[in-house]
Amino acid sequence: MPDILIKNTRIYYNNSLQSAEIIIEDGKVTKIGKDLRVSSSDMIIDAGGALTLPAGIDVHVHFREPGMTSKENWYTGSCAAAAGGVTTVIDQPNTVPPTTNRLAFEQKLRLARGKSIVDFGINGGVTGNIEKLEELWKLGVTAFGEIFMAESTGGLNINEETFEEALAEIKRLDALATIHAEDEKMRLEFEKLLKGDTSYEYHSRVRPNACEAAAVQKALELVSKLQVRAHLCHISTLEATGIIRKKKYLARRENKEPLFTCEVTPHHLFLSTRDWERLRSFGKMNPPLRGGNSIKALVNGINDGTIDMVASDHAPHLESEKDVDIRAAPSGVPGVETLMPLMLAAVRKNILPLSRMIMLTSWNPAKAFGLDRKSKGRLEVGFDADLIIVNPRELRPIKAEFLHSKAGWTPFEGMEGVFPEYTLSRGEVIWIEESINAKPGRGNFLEGRGERSEEDEEDLEEIGETQD
């Protein structure tokens, strides 16, 4: 008896949409075909002709726990993910305390195991803790970073010397470095020049396009020098996209796969400097809002393969924290729940094809972060049944009152999205009929590729048994 039969659906297969039925057993997709014959099943979902697609994998979230739970926690953040069609997230290290040593990692893991309703990875922080990176890798961090090349929320930015030392150690571990590329010296120079600027646009001016481009160039030179695997977070500019495109072209011309991948966020794809007047300090994020030419370059980049994936950089703050002077406001916007709806709406509006959206939101993130070895990222037999069922014709306005983050607001208010009717995680329906259908703590920890000792294995098992 199969656990779930999804019938009367359409899937993207062999470069086209095809009618299909899907059988799910023990959390895995076991059969895909037409008119599958089953005597009975625990649950039958009649999709009514809607699409069944791989659920989203968001490799860049800040769920704020431990330490900043007024903004978000593992339960509320994972509920937002599920409601938006995301079933796997990777949390960033700039919490309180930051995830830079064994004790902090184990604290975060314990909290996540007790609260998350979606599967998750945890990144290790990089500060002056080079000697701790091997320990974190063996404990199971997914990757290292985001490594901050410039000041941002949490104060984890490092200098150029430490940055190179960290990349060398990450190379030695055969791990992945994720990099927040902004040039700190340039930022400080513009901060002095713009001392009297009190406009909201100040934040885009103090971190101009050149600030990102210089840091991306510098980071990729070190990546090439050290031959370390890397991932560039939230690329936002025309110039950086051009540098990345050229580096990838040169690598492939020599029949080599590039050593790095990169992501773009929905807020850099669908918002711009024109939104400063509407958003005011709520539009402050790092890197900042960009102009129309950069948005065009990013859209071209997601279509031609220059940009590998879309990630939310979900970084919630309360309205009371954001509704202050632009210099005093914290950087970051919520976005995990709106990532998939906005990308599906972009498909509907012919901004990109469905095939590319699937690559950007599931296939490529799984491959780049080693989650494919955990059976993530594909609607294929043998893979986890992490799926969404969506009707692409049902565009609806995004409204903060219906979202699940503790932030209580969204920069995409009033914009259109395509929200899932069902979200399935490992064959369990966790979102149905506009409501959460999962208990806290059902999410699995997806440990990284580090080789753990037997003692570490026992410790992690103990953490699992003593969930908060």
Side-chain angles (χ1 to χ4, degrees):
M1 180 186 294
D3 299 329
I4 297 178
L5 167 65
I6 302 175
K7 66 177 187 177
N8 194 17
T9 191
R10 292 178 297 153
I11 64 171
Y12 188 80
Y13 184 72
N14 281 347
N15 299 315
S16 66
L17 283 174
Q18 300 186 26
S19 297
E21 294 183 348
I22 302 166
I23 290 178
I24 299 167
E25 297 176 288
D26 297 324
K28 304 282 187 182
V29 175
T30 56
K31 286 184 183 179
I32 302 172
K34 294 183 179 180
D35 301 319
L36 297 175
R37 295 185 178 182
V38 295
S39 57
S40 61
S41 62
D42 292 338
M43 182 179 187
I44 297 175
I45 298 175
D46 187 340
L51 303 182
T52 299
L53 304 172
I57 296 173
D58 191 347
V59 302
H60 194 150
V61 303
H62 300 264
F63 279 175
R64 302 302 194 204
E65 190 171 23
M68 294 179 279
T69 53
S70 63
K71 305 172 190 280
E72 198 75 282
N73 62 49
W74 274 97
Y75 179 67
T76 57
S78 63
C79 285
V86 170
T87 57
T88 301
V89 298
I90 299 177
D91 191 63
Q92 304 304 304
N94 55 338
T95 42
V96 180
T99 318
T100 54
N101 56 46
R102 183 188 187 100
L103 186 63
F105 170 83
E106 290 179 345
Q107 180 185 6
K108 180 178 283 190
L109 178 58
R110 184 176 294 110
L111 291 164
R113 277 183 159 162
K115 296 183 180 182
S116 183
I117 71 167
V118 300
D119 294 347
F120 61 92
I122 295 173
N123 276 4
V126 177
T127 53
N129 63 332
I130 309 299
E131 76 286 352
K132 299 289 186 181
L133 299 189
E134 182 173 3
E135 176 180 67
L136 286 166
W137 184 234
K138 289 181 177 180
L139 283 168
V141 296
T142 308
F144 289 101
E146 53 186 307
I147 303 171
F148 292 91
M149 296 175 71
E151 179 274 333
S152 196
T153 302
L156 297 188
N157 51 298
I158 57 178
N159 60 35
E160 292 182 15
E161 182 181 355
T162 305
F163 181 52
E164 184 166 357
E165 289 175 2
L167 291 186
E169 176 66 359
I170 292 167
K171 163 63 179 177
R172 187 185 71 81
L173 296 172
D174 191 27
L176 176 69
T178 69
I179 301 168
H180 179 131
E182 290 184 284
D183 189 281
E184 178 68 355
K185 290 180 181 177
M186 192 178 297
R187 185 194 72 80
L188 290 171
E189 288 172 5
F190 276 96
E191 195 174 67
K192 291 178 183 177
L193 287 171
L194 298 168
K195 192 174 181 180
D197 189 343
T198 58
S199 68
Y200 294 115
E201 291 88 345
Y202 158 82
H203 192 63
S204 290
R205 297 184 187 120
V206 81
R207 296 170 183 256
N209 288 26
C211 186
E212 177 177 271
V216 166
Q217 181 70 37
K218 194 176 299 179
L220 291 183
E221 286 173 359
L222 280 174
V223 165
S224 178
K225 172 186 172 182
L226 299 170
Q227 292 292 290
V228 59
R229 294 187 305 115
H231 174 76
L232 297 170
C233 302
H234 40 52
I235 294 302
S236 66
T237 62
L238 166 70
E239 294 83 354
T241 305
I243 292 167
I244 290 164
R245 182 178 285 111
K246 182 178 180 181
K247 294 283 187 183
K248 287 189 171 185
Y249 168 75
L250 291 174
R252 287 172 177 146
R253 192 175 66 176
E254 297 179 5
N255 295 317
K256 297 177 182 177
E257 274 301 304
L259 283 165
F260 67 95
T261 54
C262 66
E263 73 189 40
V264 66
T265 67
H267 49 261
H268 289 124
L269 280 173
F270 305 122
L271 302 175
S272 75
T273 49
R274 291 185 177 184
D275 290 292
W276 274 120
E277 185 176 351
R278 173 178 67 89
L279 292 171
R280 301 175 291 112
S281 55
F282 287 82
K284 184 179 179 183
M285 78 278 290
N286 298 329
L289 294 171
R290 304 297 187 187
N293 288 337
S294 284
I295 292 174
K296 290 176 185 176
L298 296 176
V299 170
N300 288 337
I302 62 174
N303 277 289
D304 69 14
T306 300
I307 293 169
D308 301 281
M309 65 196 76
V310 178
S312 72
D313 191 10
H314 175 78
H317 300 282
L318 299 179
E319 290 181 90
S320 58
E321 296 171 316
K322 293 288 281 187
D323 194 14
V324 293
D325 174 81
I326 188 66
R327 293 172 187 251
S331 295
V333 298
V336 69
E337 190 166 351
T338 47
L339 186 159
M340 293 295 284
L342 286 166
M343 295 308 296
L344 287 161
V347 172
R348 176 71 175 161
K349 296 172 184 177
N350 295 317
I351 294 172
L352 77 165
L354 179 63
S355 58
R356 189 66 195 149
M357 193 224 75
I358 293 170
M359 295 292 288
L360 290 163
T361 58
S362 56
W363 292 16
N364 286 350
K367 182 179 179 182
F369 283 80
L371 301 175
D372 52 349
R373 67 188 178 85
K374 299 285 188 179
S375 302
K376 299 294 185 185
R378 292 179 181 264
L379 173 45
E380 292 182 8
V381 171
F383 276 70
D384 282 358
D386 293 344
L387 309 172
I388 56 172
I389 300 176
V390 295
N391 184 343
R393 296 183 180 88
E394 289 191 0
L395 285 166
R396 73 172 194 238
I398 295 169
K399 295 185 178 181
E401 62 185 296
F402 299 125
L403 302 179
H404 295 76
S405 170
K406 274 191 174 186
W409 63 278
T410 172
F412 306 109
E413 185 76 31
M415 296 175 67
E416 290 183 317
V418 177
F419 286 82
E421 297 175 0
Y422 294 81
T423 301
L424 285 77
S425 170
R426 285 178 282 110
E428 296 180 31
V429 177
I430 61 173
W431 171 256
I432 181 175
E433 297 178 352
E434 303 295 317
S435 62
I436 296 295
N437 185 53
K439 293 181 179 180
R442 68 156 301 279
N444 280 348
F445 172 50
L446 306 172
E447 69 269 21
R449 297 184 301 106
E451 296 180 3
R452 285 192 256 104
S453 66
E454 290 183 9
E455 183 179 343
D456 288 330
E457 290 279 5
E458 290 172 0
D459 288 347
L460 286 181
E461 286 176 8
E462 185 177 332
I463 291 169
E465 292 168 0
T466 58
Q467 297 171 359
D468 287 351

